[in-house]
Amino acid sequence: MIEKERKQTVDSKYIQQHLANERTYLAWIRTAIAMAGIGFVFLNFHFSLQLRVLQLEGKVVAAVGMIFFLLGVAAIIFSTVDYLNKRKQINSQTFQSPVTMVFIMSLSLILVILILIVSYFFV
């Protein structure tokens, strides 16, 4: 049987770049799931120990849990948009490294960690 002649796609010209893009996307998704999971743990901790903790501590724990959960959801959205943008940039050979998303996520996580440290030692 004669094989059909296969047409080369634009994606197939840059296979390694597209596979690296997918690995990066999956790493962001894994990180987002971990952040959302941490948020659920904090919220569960808040609701299970609600009667035994002080009013302010409970609010801080609930706020941190909600922030982590929202950061996880935001990371999923931003990583999906970033993946699709990188895909277009790879095919058009106009790729630029994204600094904004990494900067925003890093600052957000630092802020949450600082809130936890302050609430643990000073509240």
Side-chain angles (χ1 to χ4, degrees):
M1 181 174 258
I2 301 173
E3 284 188 39
K4 287 185 178 180
E5 189 174 318
R6 295 183 183 171
K7 198 174 199 180
Q8 187 178 16
T9 63
V10 176
D11 288 351
S12 65
K13 291 181 183 178
Y14 309 106
I15 292 172
Q16 288 182 338
Q17 289 84 357
H18 285 294
L19 293 174
N21 188 25
E22 287 179 19
R23 284 190 299 273
T24 303
Y25 173 68
L26 292 174
W28 275 107
I29 294 296
R30 185 176 53 243
T31 302
I33 291 170
M35 288 189 316
I38 290 170
F40 277 123
V41 167
F42 273 91
L43 289 172
N44 187 26
F45 177 73
H46 167 69
F47 289 121
S48 65
L49 297 177
Q50 192 169 13
L51 298 176
R52 290 182 259 163
V53 295
L54 298 174
Q55 198 80 328
L56 183 60
E57 287 175 339
K59 288 180 181 179
V60 169
V61 169
V64 168
M66 189 56 72
I67 290 170
F68 261 113
F69 178 76
L70 293 174
L71 279 175
V73 172
I76 291 172
I77 293 168
F78 289 134
S79 64
T80 302
V81 170
D82 189 51
Y83 168 79
L84 295 172
N85 286 336
K86 282 182 190 175
R87 187 173 183 275
K88 289 178 188 175
Q89 291 173 354
I90 289 169
N91 286 337
S92 64
Q93 295 183 351
T94 59
F95 175 77
Q96 291 183 345
S97 182
V99 177
T100 307
M101 185 172 90
V102 174
F103 187 70
I104 290 172
M105 292 300 291
S106 297
L107 283 179
S108 300
L109 289 173
I110 289 170
L111 179 67
V112 170
I113 290 168
L114 287 176
I115 291 170
L116 282 173
I117 290 171
V118 168
S119 69
Y120 183 76
F121 287 110
F122 300 108
V123 174

